[in-house]
Amino acid sequence: MYGIGGVRHQVGKNCLSIRNLLCQLIAVGVGAEGGEQRIVDLAVDDDGNGYIDDIYGWDYPEHQRKPAPYPLLSIMEKYKFTPKQLLVVDDLKPAYDMAKAANVPIGFAKWSKLEQPDICKQMQELCDYTFSSTAQLEKFLF
């Protein structure tokens, strides 16, 4: 998965609970074959930047960040996931465009846009799933 609201945390530092959940989401193969979930250990600073991350943020070149599918394609290649084993969770259309370009399902993080009914309506119509709370997302995944 990608971006996840810019989630990135320093090695050894605690994330907020939602960030912990979202950091874990990257590692879970959602809807894996046979109903099993495959966990990948991402708790490694594999690029030596002081962060545990696989984040493709706005500081990347345009062709390597939302709405381009590059982040998802890179993660699928690195961890040997299929599109159906990932789930993008976001609250805006560029993530939808990215997910669909990579044939990855997308969930709308509705909890972050409750005060914006036009965005809620658009994303609920576009996305495969809608999550009204982080607890609902956690229940879906685990």
Side-chain angles (χ1 to χ4, degrees), residues 91-92 108 110 112-122 124:
D91 59 1
L92 291 173
F108 170 43
K110 184 178 179 180
S112 69
K113 297 295 182 197
L114 293 174
E115 310 240 340
Q116 297 173 311
D118 291 343
I119 292 175
C120 284
K121 183 176 188 272
Q122 177 193 41
Q124 285 180 272

Side-chain angles (χ1 to χ4, degrees), residues 71-141:
L72 294 173
L73 299 174
S74 296
I75 288 170
M76 286 188 283
E77 181 179 338
K78 180 177 181 179
Y79 297 106
K80 309 297 185 234
F81 283 135
T82 66
K84 291 182 181 180
Q85 291 177 297
L86 295 181
L87 175 66
V88 171
V89 178
D90 206 297
D91 59 1
L92 291 173
K93 190 170 181 301
Y96 167 83
D97 295 336
M98 175 189 68
K100 289 306 164 191
N103 204 28
V104 170
I106 180 166
F108 170 43
K110 184 178 179 180
W111 68 83
S112 69
K113 297 295 182 197
L114 293 174
E115 310 240 340
Q116 297 173 311
D118 291 343
I119 292 175
C120 284
K121 183 176 188 272
Q122 177 193 41
M123 291 299 286
Q124 285 180 272
E125 290 172 357
L126 293 172
C127 293
D128 301 302
Y129 307 98
T130 296
F131 304 106
S132 297
S133 68
T134 57
Q136 188 181 34
L137 172 59
E138 185 175 15
K139 184 177 179 181
F140 175 82
L141 291 169

Side-chain angles (χ1 to χ4, degrees), residues 14-28:
N14 292 327
C15 294
L16 298 172
S17 60
I18 182 60
R19 288 186 174 185
N20 281 335
L21 170 63
L22 293 177
C23 290
Q24 292 171 29
L25 292 182
I26 308 174
V28 178

